[in-house]
Amino acid sequence: MFIQTEPMPDNNRMKFYPGEPVLSSGSMEFVDKEDAERSPLASRLFDIEGIIQVTLYDKFITVRKEEPFNWQILKPMVLGAIMDHYSTGK
């Protein structure tokens, strides 16, 4: 699975394009781990320390990190979580 990424104007946000549908339509925003329990993918992303918001769209995922955390460290973990999600079929 090849996941494309795209930086956003806000340096604390990044888009991830898994190349497979994320949602059938619309969007879903999750602001904490408790809220993310409605989505296996969002829940998996909130397991990563430093992730503070996840928004799912039809073709991509937007992830927001806390200020002191660095994308060079978080990005591989986010990519791994997305790949794990799709490989398990959830």
Side-chain angles (χ1 to χ4, degrees), residues 37-65:
E37 290 176 359
R38 302 180 290 139
S39 163
L41 175 56
S43 184
R44 190 180 298 252
L45 291 167
F46 271 103
D47 285 341
I48 302 169
E49 184 181 6
I51 301 304
I52 58 172
Q53 184 178 10
V54 174
T55 307
L56 308 178
Y57 296 90
D58 57 344
K59 296 181 181 172
F60 64 92
I61 303 148
T62 300
V63 177
R64 181 173 168 222
K65 68 173 186 65

Side-chain angles (χ1 to χ4, degrees), residues 19-33:
E20 296 190 27
V22 179
L23 291 178
S24 57
S25 66
S27 65
M28 294 178 74
E29 182 175 276
F30 305 94
V31 295
D32 59 35
K33 188 162 180 65

